[in-house]
Amino acid sequence: MRILLSNDDGYFAPGIEILAQSLSSIAEITVVAPERDRSGASNSLTLDRPLILRQVGNGFYHVNGTPTDCVHLAVTGMLDTLPDMVISGINHGANMGDDTLYSGTVAAATEGYLLGVPSFAISLAGKNGENFISAARVARQLVRRFIQYPVREPILLNVNVPDVPSRELRGAEVTRLGRRHKAEPVVSMESPRGETVYWIGPAGEAADAGEGTDFYAVANNIVSITPLQIDLTHNERLQFVRDWLAAQDS
């Protein structure tokens, strides 16, 4: 089993180091991650400059680009053979609901999926980041399941692990994405140069967080596993748009 690991917190983040250590006894691990924190990078590719791949003392590789760049570079140019799996994480913080649209963690796994490799993103759903070991154990269990029951076609999973000790986890559930309220307003302030600068405001609180959602599972100390798809076509709106366009011509 050959596994490519990446993340959006950077190659130096504790989550990816713990993940690599946890999986190294059951798989051949290659780590290719951003050289700095690229949280919120989503699925962006760097097309306006060359990328540089460097290896550090612990064997990890880092790239001066996005999480998507890391996986794309590794799979299409660096690795001699296609990995059996791509895992992104362990992210420090949840990636639930609308977060998945912005998440660099999910984006790295998505790139693996688009390149034909079974992939999952794993996040520690808490601000304190106290229980990366819990998330690493969940990741190891999932990898063992992949080994025992191989997936014959690419699959993309978004996994969120409550930030509690493993003994407090109440199993795992397959969930759907919840929804958040709209984000808080940007925060403005004056820079030392007298310019007005802006910080993106925090994400909104959960709006759709009922039973069956990722929010509900994590709130109840249950590991959330959500299968994702990439087709953004709003099929139910196809005919509406056809009719709307036709009306403009009449």
Side-chain angles (χ1 to χ4, degrees):
M1 170 69 75
R2 297 180 302 274
I3 299 178
L4 171 65
L5 300 186
S6 193
N7 70 358
D8 72 355
D9 290 333
Y11 73 95
F12 47 81
I16 199 167
E17 183 175 359
I18 292 170
L19 182 60
Q21 291 173 354
S22 177
L23 298 178
S24 61
S25 63
I26 60 172
E28 178 185 331
I29 302 298
T30 303
V31 175
V32 183
E35 68 175 356
R36 62 181 177 88
D37 189 338
R38 296 305 301 265
S39 297
S42 189
N43 296 82
S44 57
L45 275 172
T46 300
L47 303 177
D48 61 345
R49 58 178 173 80
L51 298 171
I52 300 173
L53 177 73
R54 290 192 173 100
Q55 190 174 24
V56 295
N58 64 357
F60 291 6
Y61 292 89
H62 64 73
V63 175
N64 61 333
T66 67
T68 300
D69 288 332
C70 293
V71 174
H72 190 90
L73 184 157
V75 173
T76 66
M78 170 192 164
L79 298 174
D80 294 329
T81 56
L82 197 69
D84 299 301
M85 185 182 304
V86 171
I87 303 176
S88 180
I90 301 166
N91 189 65
H92 182 183
N95 279 305
M96 301 186 293
D98 309 355
D99 303 345
T100 57
L101 293 174
Y102 307 103
S103 168
T105 304
V106 175
T110 299
E111 188 66 12
Y113 169 78
L114 291 174
L115 293 170
V117 183
S119 304
F120 69 86
I122 185 160
S123 303
L124 185 63
K127 295 181 180 179
N128 295 329
E130 295 177 348
N131 294 280
F132 283 105
I133 293 296
S134 298
R137 287 175 177 168
V138 170
R140 186 180 172 93
Q141 290 167 0
L142 286 173
V143 170
R144 285 191 177 279
R145 179 159 289 272
F146 269 91
I147 294 172
Q148 187 175 5
Y149 303 103
V151 176
R152 301 302 181 187
E153 59 185 39
I155 188 172
L156 176 60
L157 302 178
N158 185 40
V159 183
N160 282 274
V161 182
D163 191 1
V164 298
S166 294
R167 65 180 179 277
E168 296 181 20
L169 292 175
R170 299 172 53 220
E173 289 185 1
V174 178
T175 60
R176 64 178 177 85
L177 296 179
R179 292 293 302 275
R180 291 190 184 276
H181 291 290
K182 69 177 184 179
E184 299 294 323
V186 295
V187 178
S188 63
M189 59 185 64
E190 187 174 297
S191 75
R193 297 179 181 272
E195 299 173 310
T196 301
V197 297
Y198 300 89
W199 288 93
I200 297 296
E205 295 297 323
D208 175 10
E211 191 169 355
T213 67
D214 46 6
F215 288 106
Y216 183 91
V218 167
N220 287 276
N221 285 353
I222 298 169
V223 176
S224 164
I225 303 176
T226 305
L228 303 180
Q229 64 177 2
I230 305 306
D231 184 2
L232 298 179
T233 305
H234 195 332
N235 291 289
E236 295 177 358
R237 283 295 194 180
L238 288 174
Q239 191 56 50
F240 168 82
V241 176
R242 290 189 187 105
D243 295 342
W244 176 75
L245 288 174
Q248 307 309 302
D249 296 330
S250 59

